[in-house]
């Protein structure tokens, strides 16, 4: 027969547990201290590194990307730091400038794309508007994403939609797109044709007619899509932001 | 017509040929149609649109994407052009239209400045003389439109229209 645990036993157990806990806390504290020391060293190195390679960071997009990742890993946001060390670097300025230019391009093309633009088109137009020197030209999609994400602070007036791996749309009009709307945009991009229809949605996403219609009509209502009633088989919903001739048109 | 028209991207965008239900989008669409129609008439040196012809006009029919505008669509667009003084229905049934790629006011101003610049004021000019002046924007200008523009100048007391034996003349002050 098993002995039942007595009061003494329970107390002993509790005491041991408390001891372990104390020891654990001490260990944790030590660890934390070590960690923060390491992070501090890393941060200092990063600052030195940034200062030393300031021009390189501004010029070289790959370098810039790696630098961003390093910053992110220790929670330094070179954009948020308007004062102090990081502002001396001018790296924040680089992104602030990009952010302003992104807004400019979005506003300038709004009349034709309804406020939806692919990141690629955005980049091409932005590069064209910037100076001709190499430093101004070497802007890649990572830079744009990094800068554009800052625009989230303006609420839902600005957002980035990933439509497939590495393919993004930037939406610059207020009005939120739900999962269904995003799914429609993703499908349009995937099929490589700039339109969508109820039957395509039924077939590809197994949606019922009501759901498909609701989503497509929302796109019309938001000015992101144009209605085509003159197709012979069914109504089509066209997206100027994905229509090549519109993307490439130079008239403003 | 051998003039090469530079079609805007919208012309190849199929829904451009459906009047848009969203009013914001429709505004953009009508503006684009306006620019296109005025350019087209200017480049082909035409002044009058007859709606019985629209099915033959490349302007309203893009065969490469099988899209075209019907009569109601065209009238809706022309009503929009009327609001900016760029079109005017000639008859009550809206079958024939003046297309003003310069508004009458602009035409009046152009002719008036030309007369001032070239010292043609205070002498009688026949309508024919004005229309056959080479290399001016109003060269070959439709006679009815010329007459309307000159009447506008007359109402501003900048000109006086004179009926000659078999034609009309004008004295610009």
């Amino acid at each position: 027969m098993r002995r039942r645990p007595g009061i003494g036993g329970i107390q002993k157990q509790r005491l041991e547990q408390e001891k372990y806990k104390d020891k654990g806390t001490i260990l944790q504290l030590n660890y934390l201290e070590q960690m923060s020391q390491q992070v501090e060293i890393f941060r200092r190195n990063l600052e030195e590194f940034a200062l030393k390679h300031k021009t390189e960071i501004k010029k070289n997009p790959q370098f810039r990307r790696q630098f961003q990742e390093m910053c992110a890993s220790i929670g330094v946001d070179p954009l948020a730091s308007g004062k102090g060390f990081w502002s001396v670097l001018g790296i924040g300025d680089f992104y602030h400038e990009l952010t302003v230019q992104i807004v400019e391009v979005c506003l300038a093309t709004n009349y034709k794309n309804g406020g939806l633009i692919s990141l690629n088109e955005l980049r091409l137009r932005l590069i064209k508007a910037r100076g001709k020197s190499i430093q101004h030209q070497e802007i890649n999609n990572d830079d744009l994403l990094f800068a554009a994400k800052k625009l989230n602070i303006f609420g839902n007036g600005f957002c980035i939609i990933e439509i497939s791996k590495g393919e993004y749309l930037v939406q610059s009009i207020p009005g939120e797109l739900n999962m269904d709307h995003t799914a429609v945009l993703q499908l349009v991009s995937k099929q490589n044709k700039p339109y969508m229809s109820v039957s395509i949605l039924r077939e590809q996403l197994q949606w019922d007619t009501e759901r498909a219609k609701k989503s497509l009509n929302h796109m019309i209502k938001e000015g992101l899509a144009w209605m085509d009633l003159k197709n012979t088989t069914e109504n089509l919903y066209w997206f100027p932001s994905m229509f090549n001739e519109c993307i490439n048109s130079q008239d403003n | 017509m051998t003039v090469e028209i530079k079609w805007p991207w919208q012309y190849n965008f199929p829904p451009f040929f459906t009047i848009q239900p969203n009013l914001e989008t429709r505004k953009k669409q009508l503006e684009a149609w306006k620019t296109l129609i005025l350019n087209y008439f200017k480049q082909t040196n035409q002044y009058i649109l007859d709606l019985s012809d629209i099915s033959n006009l490349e302007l309203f029919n893009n065969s490469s994407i099988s899209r075209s505008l019907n009569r109601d669509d065209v009238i809706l667009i022309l009503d929009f052009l009327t609001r900016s003084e760029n079109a005017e229905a000639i008859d009550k049934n809206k079958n024939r239209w003046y297309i003003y790629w310069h508004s009458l006011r602009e035409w009046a101003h152009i002719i008036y400045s030309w007369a001032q610049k070239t010292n043609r004021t205070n002498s009688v000019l026949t309508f024919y003389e004005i229309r056959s002046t080479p290399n001016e924007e109003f060269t070959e200008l439709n006679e009815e439109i010329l007459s309307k523009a000159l009447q506008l100048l007359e109402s501003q007391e900048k000109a006086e229209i004179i009926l000659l034996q078999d034609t009309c003349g004008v004295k610009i002050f």
Side-chain angles (χ1 to χ4, degrees):
Chain A
M1 223 175 102
R2 260 188 85 217
R3 253 188 74 195
R4 288 187 177 184
I7 302 255
I10 291 173
Q11 270 176 343
K12 201 178 148 207
Q13 225 176 13
R14 195 185 287 159
L15 222 70
E16 271 170 6
Q17 267 175 1
E18 266 165 30
K19 268 189 197 158
Y20 279 128
K21 221 166 141 193
D22 286 350
K23 191 67 191 162
T25 319
I26 291 165
L27 276 175
Q28 250 174 18
L29 277 174
N30 282 340
Y31 184 63
L32 200 69
E33 206 177 317
Q34 263 178 20
M35 272 294 284
S36 42
Q37 267 172 6
Q38 273 174 4
V39 169
E40 188 49 39
I41 291 165
F42 185 48
R43 202 180 67 91
R44 228 178 299 138
N45 285 340
L46 190 63
E47 285 179 1
E48 270 170 36
F49 174 85
L51 198 61
K52 207 166 141 196
H53 299 281
K54 182 175 155 182
T55 40
E56 193 63 24
I57 290 168
K58 280 202 197 171
K59 257 195 233 159
N60 185 334
Q62 264 166 327
F63 215 72
R64 202 151 55 224
R65 187 202 159 132
Q66 282 162 1
F67 179 69
Q68 278 165 24
E69 280 166 2
M70 283 198 286
C71 287
S73 66
I74 56 159
V76 168
D77 182 351
L79 272 193
S81 327
K83 277 184 245 153
F85 174 78
W86 295 95
S87 67
V88 182
L89 277 183
I91 289 169
D93 290 346
F94 172 84
Y95 285 108
H96 287 144
E97 195 182 288
L98 264 192
T99 312
V100 172
Q101 286 164 347
I102 288 171
V103 176
E104 280 171 354
V105 172
C106 287
L107 289 181
T109 55
N110 180 290
Y111 78 97
K112 56 175 200 175
N113 56 30
L116 198 62
I117 189 170
S118 72
L119 199 64
N120 287 329
E121 184 187 351
L122 179 67
R123 198 183 87 246
L124 292 177
R125 288 186 181 275
L126 192 135
I127 285 175
K128 227 178 135 197
R130 284 168 71 93
K132 283 221 167 72
S133 71
I134 294 174
Q135 177 174 344
H136 287 140
Q137 296 290 298
E138 296 265 315
I139 303 291
N140 65 18
N141 285 359
D142 289 318
D143 294 324
L144 291 180
L145 282 179
F146 192 69
K149 274 177 189 150
K150 292 289 148 190
L151 289 165
N152 288 345
I153 54 167
F154 296 122
N156 66 6
F158 235 101
C159 68
I160 295 157
I161 306 157
E162 183 162 20
I163 43 173
S164 60
K165 208 173 163 0
E167 295 278 324
Y168 297 88
L169 287 175
V170 179
Q171 187 200 357
S172 57
I173 42 143
E176 226 155 312
L177 296 180
N178 67 22
M179 299 275 281
D180 276 10
H181 308 142
T182 310
V184 170
L185 291 174
Q186 283 166 344
L187 190 55
V188 174
S189 153
K190 197 175 124 201
Q191 64 169 9
N192 243 332
K193 287 178 203 138
Y195 58 82
M196 193 36 69
S197 74
V198 170
S199 72
I200 299 174
L201 287 173
R202 283 178 60 101
E203 207 173 289
Q204 298 289 321
L205 303 179
Q206 284 80 47
W207 287 2
D208 60 47
T209 305
E210 257 329 286
R211 184 173 176 192
K213 267 192 184 161
K214 203 178 151 201
S215 278
L216 292 172
N217 284 334
H218 181 81
M219 301 297 198
I220 297 283
K221 203 182 121 245
E222 292 293 329
L224 302 179
W226 287 45
M227 182 76 130
D228 179 13
L229 302 174
K230 291 183 178 167
N231 183 40
T232 43
T233 48
E234 63 171 333
N235 294 344
L236 298 180
Y237 298 72
W238 292 77
F239 294 83
S241 51
M242 308 210 210
F243 184 65
N244 275 334
E245 279 193 59
C246 173
I247 293 171
N248 299 327
S249 90
Q250 293 310 320
D251 52 280
N252 266 335
Chain B
M1 225 59 68
T2 48
V3 184
E4 193 65 37
I5 304 289
K6 200 175 158 278
W7 302 103
W9 68 269
Q10 288 95 334
Y11 185 71
N12 293 313
F13 191 52
F16 191 49
F17 293 83
T18 294
I19 299 296
Q20 290 303 302
N22 175 325
L23 293 184
E24 277 294 310
T25 310
R26 183 187 292 191
K27 220 174 113 197
K28 293 175 188 171
Q29 178 187 29
L30 292 176
E31 283 294 342
W33 268 114
K34 175 175 147 182
T35 308
L36 175 56
I37 291 172
L38 297 183
N39 277 341
Y40 181 90
F41 273 74
K42 185 176 181 173
Q43 282 177 39
T44 56
N45 212 29
Q46 295 184 77
Y47 300 91
I48 288 175
L49 173 61
D50 193 323
L51 293 199
S52 52
D53 278 346
I54 56 170
S55 55
N56 304 319
L57 274 184
E58 196 185 0
L59 175 62
F60 299 123
N61 298 273
N62 186 345
S63 51
S64 66
I65 55 167
S66 317
R67 294 291 185 278
S68 57
L69 288 183
N70 62 33
R71 190 190 146 90
D72 287 346
D73 300 335
V74 175
I75 288 180
L76 189 137
I77 293 168
L78 291 175
D79 282 339
F80 179 75
L81 264 69
T82 306
R83 268 177 263 155
S84 55
E85 302 185 339
N86 290 113
E88 185 189 350
I90 298 174
D91 57 315
K92 259 197 187 147
N93 297 327
K94 298 189 171 181
N95 274 323
R96 296 182 78 235
W97 292 74
Y98 290 122
I99 303 295
Y100 302 126
W101 33 273
H102 279 306
S103 69
L104 284 179
R105 231 187 290 218
E106 285 164 355
W107 279 126
H109 177 73
I110 290 167
I111 294 165
Y112 183 75
S113 323
W114 164 79
Q116 301 287 327
K117 250 189 292 181
T118 56
N119 290 322
R120 283 180 163 89
T121 51
N122 295 312
S123 60
V124 178
L125 294 161
T126 62
F127 284 17
Y128 175 78
E129 260 181 281
I130 297 177
R131 295 179 59 233
S132 48
T133 313
N135 304 320
E136 294 289 342
E137 276 204 284
F138 52 80
T139 307
E140 306 281 322
L141 175 60
N142 172 284
E143 192 157 354
E144 297 152 71
I145 294 180
L146 175 65
S147 168
K148 278 166 168 281
L150 293 174
Q151 280 168 39
L152 191 67
L153 278 183
E154 194 174 42
S155 73
Q156 295 167 347
E157 299 185 350
K158 286 178 179 168
E160 187 187 351
I161 293 172
I162 299 153
L163 289 173
L164 304 169
Q165 280 161 338
D166 50 357
T167 178
C168 285
V170 66
K171 211 196 238 178
I172 296 172
F173 309 128

